[in-house]
Amino acid sequence: MAKAQTAPLRPDKSFQDLILVLQQYWASLGCVLLQPYDMEVGAGTFHPATALRALGPRPWNAAYVQPSRRPADGRYGENPNRLQHYYQYQVILKPSPPDIQDLYLNSLYAIGIDPKNHDIRFVEDDWESPTLGAWGLGWEVWCDGMEVSQFTYFQQVGGFDCDPVSGELTYGLERLAMYCQGADNVFDLNFNGGEGAKRVTYADVFLQAEQEYSRYNFEYADTDRLLTHFRDAEAECRALLEAGDRGEGKRHECVLPAYDQCIKASHIFNLLDARGVISVTERQAYILRVRDLTKACCTAWLRTQAGGAP
Amino acid sequence: MSELLLELFSEEIPAGMQARAGEYLQRLVCDGLKAAGIDFGEARNFAGPRRLTLVVDGLPDKSPDVSDERKGPRVGAPDKAIEGFLRGAGLKSVDEAEVVTDEKKGDFYVARIEKKGRATSDVIAELVPAAIRQFPWAKSQRWGAGRLRWVRPLHSILCVLGGRTVAFDVDGIASGNETRGHRFMAPGAFGVKDFADYEEKLRKAHVILDGRERQKIILKGARAAAKKASLELVEDDALLAEAAGLVERPVVLMGTFDEAFLDVPPEVIITAIRKHQKCFSLRQPSSPSPLTGEGRGGGDPVKTRGGESGLSAKLPPTPDPSPPGGGGALANRFILVSNLIAQDGGKAITQGNERVVRARLSDAKFFWDQDRKVKLEDRLPELEGIIFHEKLGTQAERVERLKGLARELAPIVGADPDKAERAAQLCKADLVTDMVGEFPDLQGLMGKYYALDQGEDASVAAAIEEHYRPQGPNDAVPKDPVSIAVALADKLDILVGFWAIDEKPTGSKDPYALRRAALGVIRIVLENELRFPLLQTAHIIYPRHKELVILAVGGQMVIREKIEAIFSEAGKSPEEIVDGDVETFIHTEYWAVVGLLRVFLIERLKVYLRDRGTRHDLIDAVISDDSDDLLMIVSRVEALGKFLGTDDGANLLAGVKRAANILRIEEKKEKRSFTGEVDPELFEQDEEKALAKAIGEAARAAEAAVEKEDFEAAMAAMAKLRSPVDAFFDNVTVNADDPKLRENRLKLLNRIREATLSVADFSKIGG
């Protein structure tokens, strides 16, 4: 049997090689490499490995790809820059190390961005997630005027102070790949690095999905049913938190399943929003309902082992 | 004498916060030095992306010795008093105090406290950590496992006094004499001995310390690059300041975009590349301008909420990038500012930026093309989904009111009512276009473009843009009558609405920019010389604003409940309520609101006039409880000011004041007033007769002139009073022995006061 040869990675030619380089890089620094969370989320931050692990005293370093869904950003595959489903590469370092900016810059060098010829800038961008009850300060990182990452020092999640503070790095993978490959249209990205007949593009993989999900998000999704699902998720979340609560001073026993329901409610809200059935005033009310769930989950999380409870 | 050099080196500080942070650092340290009694020479501060720097000259080695004397209780005072004195003065025993003899009070203790001066370096070692901990960042953060807060993680502190490091430690960050150069071009650390050395070494390490110098380099480079391409820079001070705050070593480059994008309105291109990319636009050298007027941007109060105080980080609202003198058409080039002297001369950087600009302009062009497919009036239903304010309804409801208001105001300002109503109908439609969704600064302006595109009348289109104006004290006011009608309708709707729900501005809080709206009304009226009596106007707009008041009170049901409460208090049954009672209630509410609003507008007028150098007391002198005509107030103030500048005016003022003073004293003494007719039979002297005659004539002439709004003539009529008044005071004794005579003379004085009131209340005029 022929021995498998590992070809050198080419992040400038292949979307997946870009991911592999980042995986290798952050693994080499001791991060836990996780796989994507198996639920629909709006951003990598929602992954419990970030949202929950950012709370409590325990150190935590992890990296993972997270498919992210933004139903309202769908454009039926017709816009070169907008997708309702895209990938984020997420790194969380807790506590944020003093050289975190250099660690991040080295990851850019690893994917082939040469700081002698490219203009890398940290441009103020404070982050806030109303549904997570979270905020932080940081930047969007520009490379030659293109936003390639978001860089945030978490200050609060679920209304609780983050202590120690986590540093969160989020790479928009498609955008970064477009930059590396010099593509103007996301659907033209070379996905697998193959040439000629072996070349698989981003369009080959995702164009149909973009079209179908745009129809679903904007036209077909049954809003009454979604509203029911939202209420169900909300009720289930509360029920699970109640069931897992063993009383004052005791550890909480059922946070992660409850948090899943919170993620679910958040995604359903995003779908309802995309369908345009939520008015401006209702919008605020829905966001507050999701935030209440997150806060309840975070409160419970701090009473678990991973949350640092005794 | 030594020099202090202090540098706080951190991760990237938001551009908009840098300049003020430098000032704060200087203030905190200098105040601390002063408080410690340390004199110093010049202090200067510098701020950039990664460092705040302060240099202070002429510092002594130590603070001066201070001796203080504290008086204590007398000898033999109770122990408690003596203990307290010793404690306060920091003495161990009473033996350390001196005894002083006072002839009157006897012997008492005095403590002499000699405070030795402290080494300046010790003072600084305490002062700087305190300054860092109490630094007034508008937003700050923690990092890692530390407790310290700074705008972004703080990495090192350089603190050198007279060539030597001042040693201290702030949450694990030890001070030193080292700093670092440019993040990418010279990242290594190096030591410095003083400011000159520091600045020089930084420059070699590709860091231009002074933000003003970075701005100069950018501006000079951008102008030169433009000139080389036979183009002109669209100058933009706010963008320049921001760009200089994003780089340590500015390098100016020029990029190109596809000429096809120039179909999109120039303001859109300028905004798109400015807002997202922080790039400057370029245009053809001056020739007749396609760019419209000045000052636009975020107008509706709902969008302008939450002006931050303290260190704010945001780019200010789009200033007008078009030049005062106009300029040529926009070019398909732009200026970018990078932070790197690239090995390839900036080729890759330019290409990268071009690609992003292309994507931004593609979006803008897409919005421009898509938006024009839907007529503005077809967008109106979408406004039903935009809440203007919880209690004041949706934008759609606002538009309905504005239509009526603009139509009713049109005749007052000389506008065509149909055009005014049409402009009002369309003026908010662009809020739901994709372009304004992406670039809120372009509201109004896009409405104008889309209106022109769908063939609306030019003044209707202009009014859509201009109805937000004036945005601030320096923004132009609308001049076209249709624009004026809609602009006034928009502002009066906001003002009456917020007054009706009692959300007036208080102190520094004005989240809906109501003062700006009021100033807008004032400037539109005055600068267009409009006769716009507020109360009469309120009467005209009542039918429209009645609905707003109903809305503000909480709807018909609430009104009904309130009336029922009034009825039941009066012991009447709710069945006795008739429609007229409801109408009366609403009418009363409305006029109460209008009354308060009139007072507010008059107050704002005073502020406006005072800011322009008008004498405060003159304004008060011409304003009465029912003044509501802004233009008339101003004309009166002007005429009065002119009159008082003349000899006649100044003397008449003195005479009237003298009369008023005498009257005030006598009225107080006798607890009565001296109003009423003067009896000519009681005149004894010619001066009395002459004055009475002159008052009658002057009053008649002045009133006639005021009636014709000829305030100069009114003043001239008053001027004729001067000599009879002077003659009266010179030759007539007011406080005559005969009480009848005296009363009649006092009444004559009162007539002077009354006659002048038709022109101004002289008693309110100072000096």
Side-chain angles (χ1 to χ4, degrees), chain A residues 96 98 101 109 116-121 124 126 138-139 142 144-145 153 155 162-165 184 280, chain B residues 11-12 139 141-142 144 147 152 155 183-184 246 276-277 313 337-339 343-344 349 353 355 358 385:
Chain A
S96 64
Q101 277 186 311
Y109 307 158
K116 299 224 165 358
N117 282 323
H118 293 281
D119 183 29
I120 303 166
R121 229 91 69 75
E124 178 200 15
D126 300 341
W139 312 273
W142 285 14
D144 301 339
Y153 290 100
Q155 301 296 301
C162 297
D163 189 10
V165 168
D184 283 332
V280 180
Chain B
E11 296 177 11
E12 279 75 357
K139 276 187 194 166
Q141 62 158 91
R142 291 172 291 112
R147 301 251 64 84
R152 293 293 183 276
H155 280 264
R183 181 186 277 287
F184 299 103
L246 286 169
H276 293 301
Q277 296 312 124
V337 182
S338 82
N339 187 34
Q343 284 182 346
D344 69 355
I349 296 172
N353 276 276
R355 190 175 320 138
R358 193 185 318 144

